[in-house]
Amino acid sequence: MATFKIGARAHDYGKGTVDELFGRISADGFSCVQLAYKKCVSGVKFYADVTPDLVRETREAGARHSISVAVLGTYVELAIDDGAQRSANTADFISQLSVCKALGAGCIGTETTSMAKQPAGTSRERAQYLLCKSLERILPEAEQLGVMVAVEPVTYHSMNSVQATRRILDTMQSPALGVILDMSNLICADNVNCQEPVWQAAGELLGDRILAVHFKGQAFREDGSLYSTSLEESRTDYAGAFRMLRTLPQELPVLREEAVPARAASDIAFMQRFIFPKRRNPLMSSRHVVTVSLSGPADFRSLQAAADAQDPSVPVTFRLGPGIYHERPVLELDDYCIVGAGQGKTVISAGVGALDPWPGEAKTGTFRSQTLFLGGRCARLEHLTVENTAGDGAKAGQALAVYADAARVCMVDVELCGNQDTLFTAPLPLKVREPNGFRGPRENAPRLDTRQYYRDCVIRGNIDFIFGGANAVFDHCTLVPLAHASGVSYITAASTPEGKPGYLFADCTVEGNCPAGSVYLGRPWRDQAKVFWLDCHLSAEISPAGWDPWSVPADHFTPVFGESGSQGPGVPHSGALRAFGTVNDPALTDEMRAMLAAFRADFAVC
């Protein structure tokens, strides 16, 4: 039975000294690294810069921070069809064998060369032959030093499959040659829907030759091209891969590729679900309970005071008694729940609008107007109301009830009340359209994916009252559009990043106080907006057009808006919908049903 340790690539943490990098990686909860000196250590530009002193510093930093080097990365092209370049690359690789030995690294790894980098006319068979010729020079010296060399199969590289990798192993017949298994790199558009044979073959043909595992997110566009994504949105069948990996006899480092340090805790928790399926997530093993009440026995009188007193790394539940909490809490804890006494009974309330003055500036702006800010890794709200009472947007401007920017957000039986821009589901778009338009807590932060689930919630507003770039499901929610002086209202304004699933409203009800035909299901805040309504009840308030194109020209309409299976007098006309997106498209409907099932399963024990 395999044992595992979880690590990260050092160069995903930027550049610095080895001690700085190992310190940050260890603090985030990883125990090993893939170390590519040229990519991450300041001052290292050539392999000759990896001196004995630097190796000694690396060993000392590893001992100090409890970090081991699982893979020494070289990233040289050993299969390139250019004799001089390949010879130089091979020499560079050989120069690092002694470094690998001195570090006590688990293996030294290399690329097997993308076919896109090969000269025109180079076949995959020739590229594999050239890889073997390079290994002929490397492996005798590796065997003499007792160093393991690892090659990595990638679907678009010279060594493109499990079977091709097995042929390389059989050809070389060296005990010093092993494999780095990047799960996502074995998946392509052709096999993404049938991955079990891949994992079965990997176990049978590579098995105990696997020296390390790479863990990253990857999905595919409609044209079959791949793109990087969060682990949660990846199309890789991690569960299937780890069913195979757990049967192996060796210890395996599992290395998070393309890590975003701000999401380390979330990524580790996600990885542990597959690596240790019977082991409870240590972040969830205990949960501290803190009581908050406006009067009577309680630990604190305000949610902000209670949050400020917590260890950010310890899971906590805040139990709020009845009453109106006039405050604007900001939570940046790792894992927290806020539980009230019921909608309308426990209310977190503030009244700040974007047009209000801000110290030293003319106005507050949209993204500093929120009543409640949810940051951190995992945020859950239950049985309460959050409101922004700033009033109509014509006078107050945008006024957020909630700014939801935790990596995972779950709300159950929560009421969100406002007018313009009630709920912001982060991330922000990549580019601002007006100077200082994103002024606020995440203005200069990386645009990180969030995964959000709303169940049995009530959300009230009039203009773009659910907006942002999250991957979000609204399940059995009630959307209450409020009449606006302009005569029209808009439920959503999505800014979905390219390739992401966007918003899904499933089994929801739209029922407000607006005139018939005056409410749009949505309009695109950015050109890749994606919003889908599935099996909802739509009141007569919904415009026959369904959607508003906003500033996107009709002859170049890239957002995807759709509706399927809905009932009620507000179900949009097919013709109008088709002008702006998709109507009853079976493939898209199946995709949305799969998304709904995945979110329901993922957040079942949120």
Side-chain angles (χ1 to χ4, degrees):
M1 184 68 69
T3 57
F4 301 95
K5 53 185 179 180
I6 296 177
R9 294 190 311 191
H11 58 272
D12 287 329
Y13 278 72
K15 281 207 169 189
T17 67
V18 176
D19 188 68
E20 290 169 343
L21 293 168
F22 282 14
R24 294 202 296 268
I25 291 166
S26 177
D28 278 349
F30 296 108
S31 61
C32 59
V33 296
Q34 178 165 313
L35 176 63
Y37 280 108
K38 289 172 63 176
K39 286 179 173 283
C40 64
V41 177
S42 299
V44 176
K45 297 181 179 180
F46 307 99
Y47 289 107
D49 295 329
V50 184
T51 62
D53 284 345
L54 179 55
V55 172
R56 175 182 51 77
E57 291 171 14
T58 304
R59 290 176 63 92
E60 291 173 352
R64 188 157 46 248
H65 298 292
S66 300
I67 291 287
S68 61
V69 179
V71 178
L72 179 65
T74 61
Y75 295 92
V76 300
E77 306 289 0
L78 296 181
I80 194 73
D81 196 358
D82 179 321
Q85 183 181 345
R86 187 171 58 83
S87 179
N89 291 348
T90 303
D92 283 338
F93 190 93
I94 291 172
S95 75
Q96 298 305 292
L97 293 174
S98 59
V99 174
C100 182
K101 176 73 172 180
L103 287 173
C107 63
I108 177 171
T110 181
E111 296 281 5
T112 59
T113 307
S114 167
M115 293 304 295
K117 294 181 180 180
Q118 298 284 15
T122 299
S123 67
R124 181 164 271 122
E125 290 74 16
R126 174 165 174 75
Q128 292 175 10
Y129 166 78
L130 294 173
L131 174 61
C132 289
K133 297 301 290 183
S134 298
L135 290 172
E136 281 181 0
R137 290 178 56 191
I138 292 167
L139 291 172
E141 297 201 34
E143 291 172 15
Q144 187 173 356
L145 287 170
V147 169
M148 293 300 298
V149 173
V151 289
E152 179 181 340
V154 183
T155 56
Y156 53 90
H157 280 202
S158 60
M159 193 175 72
N160 65 317
S161 67
V162 170
Q163 291 75 15
T165 307
R166 183 68 249 179
R167 287 195 296 271
I168 300 294
L169 295 174
D170 290 342
T171 299
M172 302 316 302
Q173 290 290 305
S174 171
L177 183 60
V179 176
I180 294 174
L181 182 73
D182 186 315
M183 296 174 287
S184 294
N185 280 348
L186 289 175
I187 303 306
C188 62
D190 293 336
N191 64 17
V192 66
N193 295 317
C194 187
Q195 298 182 34
E196 190 58 35
V198 177
W199 313 131
Q200 182 177 348
E204 292 176 354
L205 299 180
L206 305 181
D208 59 5
R209 304 297 286 274
I210 298 172
L211 304 177
V213 178
H214 283 169
F215 204 127
K216 69 184 177 190
Q218 184 171 287
F220 301 90
R221 300 183 180 88
E222 291 184 3
D223 64 2
S225 62
L226 60 86
Y227 62 94
S228 296
T229 186
S230 66
L231 298 181
E232 289 85 355
E233 299 300 326
S234 178
R235 294 295 306 278
T236 306
D237 177 17
Y238 304 119
F242 274 97
R243 279 195 297 271
M244 175 273 293
L245 291 168
R246 284 192 296 273
T247 67
L248 303 180
Q250 64 266 40
E251 180 182 75
L252 287 170
V254 181
L255 302 161
R256 170 66 165 115
E257 277 205 353
E258 302 171 356
V260 176
R263 288 287 163 81
S266 176
D267 284 350
I268 290 171
F270 183 91
M271 294 164 73
Q272 286 173 328
R273 265 191 269 165
F274 301 97
I275 297 171
F276 312 115
K278 295 182 180 180
R279 185 179 301 180
R280 189 173 175 86
N281 179 352
L283 292 174
M284 298 294 290
S285 60
S286 62
R287 185 177 289 279
H288 183 49
V289 177
V290 175
T291 57
V292 181
S293 179
L294 296 173
S295 62
D299 298 315
F300 296 91
R301 296 300 184 206
S302 75
L303 175 57
Q304 188 66 70
D308 289 345
Q310 304 310 306
D311 180 338
S313 66
V314 175
V316 60
T317 293
F318 300 102
R319 294 198 175 276
L320 276 62
I324 300 177
Y325 294 78
H326 293 284
E327 57 175 314
R328 302 182 63 207
V330 175
L331 286 87
E332 291 279 16
L333 307 175
D334 183 71
D335 182 345
Y336 55 97
C337 296
I338 305 171
V339 182
Q343 291 185 28
K345 297 178 180 179
T346 297
V347 181
I348 302 173
S349 180
V352 177
L355 298 181
D356 289 346
W358 185 266
E361 298 181 34
K363 63 180 181 179
T364 295
T366 303
F367 301 101
R368 293 188 297 206
S369 70
Q370 77 282 345
T371 297
L372 176 63
F373 181 88
L374 304 176
R377 182 182 66 85
C378 184
R380 180 181 174 98
L381 276 64
E382 299 179 4
H383 317 311
L384 54 84
T385 293
V386 184
E387 65 181 13
N388 192 318
T389 61
D392 187 81
K395 296 180 179 179
Q398 299 88 342
L400 312 184
V402 172
Y403 188 137
D405 194 44
R408 288 169 58 84
V409 176
C410 181
M411 295 192 193
V412 178
D413 186 33
V414 171
E415 180 185 37
L416 304 178
C417 301
N419 283 277
Q420 184 169 346
D421 293 10
T422 304
L423 170 63
F424 175 58
T425 65
L428 291 161
L430 290 175
K431 295 181 179 180
V432 71
R433 285 178 172 171
E434 60 183 60
N436 300 322
F438 294 158
R439 186 62 58 84
R442 294 292 192 260
E443 177 182 9
N444 297 313
R447 305 301 193 248
L448 305 178
D449 282 349
T450 67
R451 191 171 174 89
Q452 305 189 16
Y453 180 69
Y454 300 81
R455 171 83 190 201
D456 298 321
C457 293
V458 178
I459 308 175
R460 305 176 188 274
N462 49 31
I463 302 295
D464 306 333
F465 63 93
I466 301 171
F467 74 114
N471 303 316
V473 167
F474 299 83
D475 191 355
H476 285 85
C477 292
T478 300
L479 295 314
V480 184
L482 306 177
H484 189 261
S486 67
V488 294
S489 296
Y490 307 90
I491 297 176
T492 66
S495 56
T496 314
E498 184 175 3
K500 302 298 182 181
Y503 289 162
L504 170 61
F505 294 83
D507 298 293
C508 292
T509 297
V510 176
E511 192 72 56
N513 67 354
C514 298
S518 68
V519 176
Y520 291 90
L521 295 174
R523 58 180 181 171
W525 188 25
R526 291 296 188 270
D527 290 357
Q528 299 299 323
K530 189 171 182 180
V531 182
F532 199 80
W533 294 72
L534 182 67
D535 301 334
C536 295
H537 180 85
L538 306 179
S539 71
E541 297 161 275
I542 300 301
S543 166
W547 317 95
D548 181 274
W550 207 347
S551 59
V552 181
D555 60 350
H556 186 64
F557 196 81
T558 52
V560 177
F561 290 151
E563 176 278 323
S564 178
S566 296
Q567 298 180 352
V571 175
H573 298 311
S574 305
L577 253 177
R578 191 169 289 114
F580 298 128
T582 306
V583 176
N584 295 325
D585 180 321
L588 183 56
T589 300
D590 289 346
E591 180 184 333
M592 292 302 103
R593 292 196 187 281
M595 179 181 175
L596 176 61
F599 271 69
R600 283 176 173 171
D602 187 21
F603 285 91
V605 291
C606 173

